[in-house]
Amino acid sequence: MTATIALVDDDRNILTSVSIALQTEGFLTRVYSDGEVALKALVDNPPDLAVLDIKMPRMDGLELLRRLRERSAVPVIFLTSKDDELDEALGLAMGADDYIAKPFSQRLLIARIRAILRRAEGALPGGNGEDEAPQQPIERGRLTMDPARHRVTWAGAPVTLTVTEFMILETLAQRPGIVKTRNQLMDAAYQDDIYVDDRTIDSHIKRVRRKFREADPEFDAIETLYGAGYRFTDE
């Protein structure tokens, strides 16, 4: 099935050039130059992935992402100004799956899009391929993860995770008590030799903890081992 990519940017030149590049690669595209219009469209008719610009009038990309995450877990890549670490950190904390700094290579953007879509496909029903054994649910204490359906619960309460958050938590939960370094978590969540830094993984972990604490304020199953990495404990 052909994937649909939503592009949200107030720069018409970027919308046109990126849309053409994606269509050349076989994607369907929808373009929006207004954040409020885009939000309604993304919720009412979700694409397979959205690319959001941070700097937009009326509703900027961060506000759009915040409101979108209240209602949808659609994968998101956001575009930020070069060296603007605050925007990057805020976007990841709000639940973006990835970010790219402007000016950016269209080839890089397409590679990131393909990588996230592959991860999303593997996390959804039928995403493993007909010849592969279905992924079995993971049960660790009060945590249950169903990779085949991309469902997570904590003590029976549903927890909505993005594709990247799901991959990171799954890597930790597969081997409780074993410390996973940031590099190992990067390798699990970001494939195809895509570079991300430590701050990206840390931001995703903070977001995952925040979501679980909404279900259980006492949640402390993801431990930080300073200088080493993270581990999941099911005690």
Side-chain angles (χ1 to χ4, degrees), residues 122-215:
L124 294 173
N128 296 319
E130 295 181 359
D131 297 329
E132 295 185 21
Q135 293 174 287
Q136 297 301 311
I138 298 170
E139 296 184 1
R140 301 288 186 265
R142 286 171 284 177
L143 173 70
T144 300
M145 301 186 72
D146 187 347
R149 295 175 175 79
H150 193 73
R151 292 177 182 169
V152 181
T153 63
W154 179 261
V159 180
T160 302
L161 300 181
T162 67
V163 172
T164 303
E165 292 164 355
F166 191 98
M167 298 289 283
I168 290 172
L169 179 60
E170 182 181 25
T171 301
L172 292 170
Q174 283 173 339
R175 300 188 67 190
I178 302 299
V179 178
K180 294 291 185 179
T181 67
R182 289 176 175 83
N183 284 337
Q184 289 173 319
L185 295 176
M186 289 176 197
D187 290 342
Y190 292 89
Q191 302 168 10
D192 298 326
D193 298 323
I194 291 175
Y195 171 78
V196 294
D197 59 24
D198 289 355
R199 184 179 64 253
T200 302
I201 295 299
D202 292 343
S203 294
H204 286 310
I205 291 288
K206 289 178 181 178
R207 177 76 177 178
V208 171
R209 283 173 171 156
R210 184 179 304 123
K211 289 182 175 182
F212 275 90
R213 284 170 182 160
E214 290 174 358

Side-chain angles (χ1 to χ4, degrees), residues 100 104-113 194:
I100 296 179
F104 60 90
S105 158
Q106 290 186 356
R107 180 177 298 178
L108 172 62
L109 176 60
I110 291 170
R112 298 282 182 99
I113 287 172
I194 291 175

Side-chain angles (χ1 to χ4, degrees), residues 10-53:
D10 64 326
D11 188 324
R12 295 282 185 176
N13 291 328
I14 290 179
L15 286 178
T16 299
S17 62
V18 173
S19 181
I20 290 174
L22 289 172
Q23 290 171 15
T24 300
E25 293 293 321
F27 294 104
L28 298 176
T29 61
R30 304 179 199 149
V31 298
Y32 308 95
S33 57
D34 180 280
E36 292 184 355
V37 173
L39 176 61
K40 186 177 188 306
L42 294 177
V43 172
D44 291 347
N45 188 16
D48 295 287
L49 182 145
V51 180
L52 312 180
D53 184 33

